[in-house]
Amino acid sequence: PGGRRPWFTQKKGSRGQLFTQACHVYDLFRYLVGEVAEVSAYKAEGFTPKCEGFDIEDAAVLNLKFRGGAVGQINCTVLAPPSPEGMISFSITARNLNISYAGREKALRITTDKGVEILGNPSGGSGEEDRLIQAFLETVRGGDRSLILSPYADAIKTFCIADAADDSLRTGERIPVLEN
């Protein structure tokens, strides 16, 4: 675990999986479902041989209660083998709707009572990802903020979810997510 990123397996460097690994999923869920009101987290430890400095959880589960009434769950683990295809996947189910994504497909599958629609590139191409990374790098290099698709205030909202998740993991309590 950690591989070429030893900071990842250290609380002082990463604050753990629910802080570092899941933050991108928080962004996605906020975009698709809405703002998060409360979280509760659980962890599992003792399943992975520890390397020097390894002090994060082996696996973690975060339950989310959204302000609009929906609920969700995020699972993270260092137990899965590395995969060049990506391991992020999710499914969102609502009345007459299912939205799913599997990292290896690089496509969003939307299923409704009218059928299935696939958005993205099921062949695995990453043109959109490359474009977003390039826009980020151009922003950093040149300072042109017009290329940024997510404002700083959104980053703070995601940070508040990650911080609440970390608090819940540490205390075992349900933690409200601060509104900012």
Side-chain angles (χ1 to χ4, degrees):
R4 294 183 310 264
R5 305 171 300 164
W7 60 268
F8 179 78
T9 59
Q10 299 171 5
K11 276 284 191 189
K12 70 178 182 181
S14 71
R15 286 184 69 184
Q17 294 178 73
L18 291 179
F19 202 90
T20 301
Q21 189 176 7
C23 64
H24 309 294
V25 180
Y26 304 154
D27 287 333
L28 182 64
F29 280 15
R30 286 183 49 244
Y31 179 76
L32 294 172
V33 182
E35 297 302 334
V36 177
E38 180 181 277
V39 298
S40 61
Y42 303 92
K43 64 183 172 181
E45 297 178 304
F47 297 98
T48 304
K50 306 294 187 202
C51 55
E52 186 176 334
F54 185 115
D55 63 356
I56 65 167
E57 59 281 350
D58 292 336
V61 174
L62 181 67
N63 298 308
L64 303 102
K65 182 177 179 182
F66 292 87
R67 296 193 195 288
V71 294
Q73 186 178 69
I74 295 174
N75 306 297
C76 297
T77 185
V78 296
L79 299 171
S83 169
E85 302 169 335
M87 295 296 290
I88 293 177
S89 63
F90 70 85
S91 179
I92 296 173
T93 303
R95 185 176 303 138
N96 298 319
L97 172 70
N98 182 268
I99 301 171
S100 61
Y101 174 84
R104 66 186 120 319
E105 294 175 8
K106 301 222 185 280
L108 196 63
R109 178 181 300 270
I110 302 171
T111 307
T112 67
D113 55 353
K114 295 179 178 34
V116 176
E117 181 179 0
I118 298 176
L119 304 174
N121 187 354
S123 67
S126 61
E128 181 64 10
E129 291 171 13
D130 292 343
R131 187 187 70 74
L132 293 172
I133 291 168
Q134 190 60 39
F136 173 77
L137 292 174
E138 287 176 28
T139 299
V140 171
R141 285 184 193 121
D144 179 3
R145 292 183 173 215
S146 69
L147 299 172
I148 298 174
L149 302 178
S150 180
Y152 185 73
D154 275 347
I156 296 298
K157 289 178 181 180
T158 297
F159 172 84
C160 288
I161 297 169
D163 196 44
D166 194 43
D167 285 349
S168 180
L169 201 61
R170 189 175 31 77
T171 66
E173 302 288 326
R174 290 187 337 216
I175 306 292
V177 174
L178 297 175
E179 291 185 58
N180 52 16

